[in-house]
Amino acid sequence: MAEDILIAFTTFPGVEIAQKAAREIVDLKLAACANILPEVRSTYRWEGKLESSAEVLVLFKLTAARYPEFEKKLRSIHPYEVPEIISCKIDGGLPEYLRWVVESCAS
């Protein structure tokens, strides 16, 4: 079952927009859960310049089957021109939790 579960990462410019996006994604059952980690410091190159900004990191737990819809929806509501949307497969985890993720993402 673990191979069917992903963690997806994205950053937002603030807590309010992160919370709004997280609620919408979870309400649509595109993810089972969203963890919002406020105040991360990001350093990156954008349009040829070195940038640094405070951001909010959001971790979503979802099924691989829902990922295409998740990515499309997140991209449509994200304020960044090129948002960070990356995912990692889960190699293992508490079976009951993984089952809950699958059940929570059932359409």
Side-chain angles (χ1 to χ4, degrees):
M1 183 180 302
E3 66 275 1
D4 298 330
I5 309 297
L6 306 175
I7 293 181
F9 301 80
T10 193
T11 53
F12 288 95
V15 172
E16 283 186 29
I17 186 75
Q19 289 174 330
K20 184 175 186 270
R23 289 185 61 82
E24 189 168 347
I25 295 287
V26 173
D27 186 51
L28 291 170
K29 296 184 177 183
L30 298 175
C33 177
N35 301 115
I36 300 171
L37 291 80
E39 193 67 36
V40 296
R41 176 62 57 183
S42 297
T43 302
Y44 52 94
R45 187 168 302 283
W46 181 249
E47 297 180 347
K49 294 191 291 188
L50 192 60
E51 303 282 345
S52 182
S53 60
E55 294 185 295
V56 175
L57 176 64
V58 183
L59 309 175
F60 291 96
K61 274 73 82 181
L62 64 149
T63 60
R66 296 308 306 260
Y67 184 81
E69 292 173 89
F70 164 84
E71 182 183 279
K72 182 177 179 181
K73 181 62 177 177
L74 183 56
R75 178 125 196 199
S76 77
I77 63 176
H78 207 290
Y80 290 165
E81 182 180 337
V82 181
E84 170 192 18
I85 303 174
I86 57 175
S87 68
C88 302
K89 291 182 181 181
I90 300 300
D91 290 331
L94 182 69
E96 295 87 349
Y97 182 81
L98 301 177
R99 191 170 18 264
W100 172 79
V101 171
V102 170
E103 290 168 359
S104 295
C105 292
S107 47

